[in-house]
Amino acid sequence: MFPSRPAARPARDTSRSAHDAFRDGPELDRRTVLLGGVAAGAVLLGGCTRSGQAAVSSPSPSVAWAPPAEPMTFPTGYTWGAATSAFQVEGSTTADGRGQSVWDTFCARSGRVKGGATGDPGADGYRRWQEDIALMSELGIGAYRFSVAWPRIQPTGSGPVNQLGVDWYRRFVDGLLEAGIRPAVTLFHWDLPQALQDAGGWAVRDTAERFADYASIVFDALADADADWFTINEPKTHAYVGHWYGSHAPGLRDPQVAVAAVHHQLLAHGLAVQRFREQGTSGRIGIALNLMPVYAQPGAEEPATRVDAAENRLFLDAVLTGQYPADAIGPLPGQVPADRDRFDALVLDGDLATISEPADLLAVQYYGVTGVAKDGSQVSIHPTSAASWQQLWPEGLYDLLVRLRDEYPAIPLMITENGIPDETPELTIDDPYRTAYLREHFQQAARAIADGVPLEAHYVWSLLDNFEWGEGYQQRWGIVAVDFDTQERTPKDSFGFYREVIAANAVAPS
Ligand code: IFM
C-alpha cells in the first residue's frame, strides 16, 4: 500500500481505529495510525477461507531466517530488471500533444504535494531516454519496466490517437530491443486522463471500456515487440489512497468510490487481457498487485483476517479465482468501510469471469508487511524505512510467495517492484541500507525458488530517483541518483552491488 507518505515517523496514536484516522483530514493517512509495537506473538494471516473465517497458517512468521554461507544462485534465464513509471520520470508534461492527467491536476492544487512539486521535470526521461538505456546496459538488466502515459496516446482518454505520443513509445521500445533489453510495459500507472476523471473516473464503468480501447491502441502499436505487459499498476493504491484517503490523485475521500474504483480497474484489466488475445499481441500479460503479508497480534486474528481481505484477497481472489471475498468490505474492524450491497450492485453478470480471464503471469510488488491490532488498526511490528508506511521484513517476501504458491492456481510470478528510499531527501550515492535491503530480498526470492515457487523475475524499484507522488522530489528511490537541477545521473553504490548480482546470477551471503 502506498499512501502519501509523511516524512517523519508516524505519531503514536492508540486512541482511534485506522479508518477513523483516515477520515480525519488530509494530513492523515494509513501510516499515521501505525503504532509502535513488537512482532512477538504475531501470526501470519494466510490460508484464509473464502468465507472470511480466520485460518491461520503459520504461527511463527517472525522467526528470522539466516542465509547459507555460499552464494545463492538463480535459475538460468532468470530476469533481472528495474522499473519506473511515466509520470514519475518522463517530465515534458505538455510535449507532443500530451493531455492533462489527474496527477497534473492534483499537483496544481495547493498543499497536496510536498514542495508544490509537479511532474516536471521528473527525471526528464522523455528527452534523456537514450542516456537511460545506456545506463540500463551498464547495469546489465535483461528487462526494463516502464509505463505508457495514457494522456500521451489519447489526450482526453478516448477518441483520436495522438500519433506523436505513439511514435515516442515506439522509438523507446525499439531502443530497448536494440540494446537487448526486454520491454516490460505497464499500461496504467495512475495517470488517468483528466477528461475521463471529469466524466466520473474509475467510479464509473465506462472508464473500464475506455481503458480497453486505449490498451488496444498500444497493443497495435507495439504488437511485434515480444514484451511482458502489465495492465494496471497497484489498483489497490490507486483506489484506496486516491479515492479513500485522498492523499493521491484524484484526491477523493470516499470509501464507496474507492471500492467502485477497485472493481472498475479490475474489470479494465480483464477487458484488456481479452483484447490482447483477440489482437494476437506477442508477449505475455498480467496485472501488477502490491501485496502485503498481514500478521495478527495476539487476539487479533479476526480483524487481521479482514485486513488481509482488504489488502490482498480482494484483488487476488478476483483475478485468480473469479470471486470477491466475503469479508473485505463492510463495517467491521479491518474492512474497507463501504456498503457491500452497493458494491455488489456494480458487479454485473460476467464481470468476474472477465476479471479472471486467464493471464500469463502475476506481477507482485513487495515493499514490506503490516501488523494488525485487536481493534483492526494496522500497527508497526518491524522497523520502517524513511517511508514510514514501509515496515521492513524480507522474510515477508518469502511468506507471500509461498502463500501464492499454496493458495492460488499455479501461475508464473514476477516481482515487478521492490526497493527502499534513501534515508534523507539529499542526493545520495553511498546507500548501504539499499544494498542490504536488496541483498536480503534477493535471498528470500532465491529461498522461495528453491522451495518450488515459480518466480521468474525481480525488478528493482527504481532505476532513477524520480517524482515520488505526495512526497514530490523529497524521497529518492533510485539506484541511480538524479540531480533534479541539472538532470545529471550518478549511479549509487547499490547500482554496483546490483550489477554484480546480475553478472553472477547469484547473491552472496554478505
Ligand atoms: O513510487 C511508487 C510506485 O509508483 C508504485 N509502487 C511503490 C513505489 C514507491 O512508493
Side-chain angles (χ1 to χ4, degrees), residues 233 236 239 242 274 319 374 396 410 439 448 483:
N233 177 76
K236 176 175 66 179
Q274 290 176 345
V319 167
K374 281 184 187 170
R439 184 194 301 284
D483 179 328

Side-chain angles (χ1 to χ4, degrees), residues 2-3 5 85 88 189-190 233-234 237 290 365 367 387 389 417 461 466-469 475 477:
F2 304 99
R5 288 88 166 159
S85 85
Q88 292 179 273
H189 199 122
W190 309 346
N233 177 76
E234 297 183 6
T237 306
N290 53 320
Q365 319 218 134
Y367 286 91
W389 53 269
E417 286 187 24
W461 183 273
N466 58 49
F467 174 86
E468 175 56 21
W469 309 115
Q475 205 172 77
W477 289 76

Side-chain angles (χ1 to χ4, degrees), residues 205 263 344-352:
R205 189 178 180 88
H263 179 61
D344 285 343
L346 300 173
V347 184
L348 305 188
D349 280 354
D351 280 5
L352 281 160

Side-chain angles (χ1 to χ4, degrees), residues 300-316:
E301 287 77 9
E302 285 192 17
T305 299
R306 293 183 211 111
V307 170
D308 177 55
E311 294 284 349
N312 300 312
R313 285 183 283 115
L314 186 60
F315 304 87
L316 285 169

Side-chain angles (χ1 to χ4, degrees), residues 188-422:
F188 179 69
H189 199 122
W190 309 346
D191 44 0
L192 189 75
Q194 182 60 40
L196 289 186
Q197 186 62 40
D198 295 342
W202 289 111
V204 301
R205 189 178 180 88
D206 187 59
T207 300
E209 300 287 349
R210 300 287 68 75
F211 176 79
D213 291 346
Y214 150 70
S216 280
I217 295 166
V218 184
F219 294 150
D220 260 352
L222 305 177
D224 56 331
D226 192 24
D228 288 326
W229 293 85
F230 308 100
T231 52
I232 307 274
N233 177 76
E234 297 183 6
K236 176 175 66 179
T237 306
H238 189 53
Y240 294 0
V241 185
H243 299 75
W244 171 14
Y245 314 161
S247 41
H248 276 188
L252 306 179
R253 298 176 60 79
D254 183 342
Q256 200 70 49
V257 174
V259 292
V262 169
H263 179 61
H264 294 136
Q265 287 181 92
L266 295 181
L267 185 62
H269 154 75
L271 292 170
V273 174
Q274 290 176 345
R275 298 284 184 100
F276 185 82
R277 306 281 184 233
E278 285 160 17
Q279 291 176 225
T281 316
S282 63
R284 304 185 294 176
I285 193 163
I287 191 167
L289 299 180
N290 53 320
L291 302 170
M292 180 165 69
V294 171
Y295 302 115
Q297 295 206 306
E301 287 77 9
E302 285 192 17
T305 299
R306 293 183 211 111
V307 170
D308 177 55
E311 294 284 349
N312 300 312
R313 285 183 283 115
L314 186 60
F315 304 87
L316 285 169
D317 290 10
V319 167
L320 297 178
T321 73
Q323 51 190 326
Y324 281 123
D327 54 345
I329 299 168
L332 299 172
Q335 294 181 315
V336 182
D339 184 278
R340 176 70 197 226
D341 292 340
R342 286 175 64 195
F343 173 76
D344 285 343
L346 300 173
V347 184
L348 305 188
D349 280 354
D351 280 5
L352 281 160
T354 301
I355 289 170
S356 58
E357 186 75 32
D360 303 306
L361 56 92
L362 177 69
V364 175
Q365 319 218 134
Y366 179 81
Y367 286 91
V369 302
T370 193
V372 175
K374 281 184 187 170
D375 67 357
S377 59
Q378 295 195 26
V379 295
S380 268
I381 55 172
H382 291 290
T384 59
S385 71
S388 54
W389 53 269
Q390 183 180 33
Q391 295 189 43
L392 304 172
W393 187 240
E395 284 84 344
L397 176 60
Y398 175 83
D399 291 346
L400 170 62
L401 293 170
V402 167
R403 177 188 191 181
L404 294 171
R405 178 199 68 190
D406 291 347
E407 294 183 22
Y408 289 95
I411 186 165
L413 301 175
M414 297 183 174
I415 299 165
T416 44
E417 286 187 24
N418 184 219
I420 187 173
D422 285 326

Side-chain angles (χ1 to χ4, degrees), residues 74 78 80-82 139 366-367 390 392 394 397 415 417-421 431-446 458-463 477-480 492-499 501-502 506-509:
F74 288 81
Y78 193 73
W80 296 103
L139 180 57
Y366 179 81
Y367 286 91
Q390 183 180 33
L392 304 172
L397 176 60
I415 299 165
E417 286 187 24
N418 184 219
I420 187 173
D431 58 348
Y433 41 86
R434 182 172 288 108
T435 293
Y437 178 96
L438 293 177
R439 184 194 301 284
E440 291 172 14
H441 286 78
F442 295 159
Q443 288 167 342
Q444 294 297 332
H458 204 130
Y459 290 73
V460 168
W461 183 273
S462 175
L463 179 70
W477 289 76
I479 55 173
V480 175
K492 301 181 189 179
D493 291 350
S494 58
F495 179 101
F497 162 74
Y498 190 28
R499 188 173 50 193
V501 169
I502 295 170
V507 57

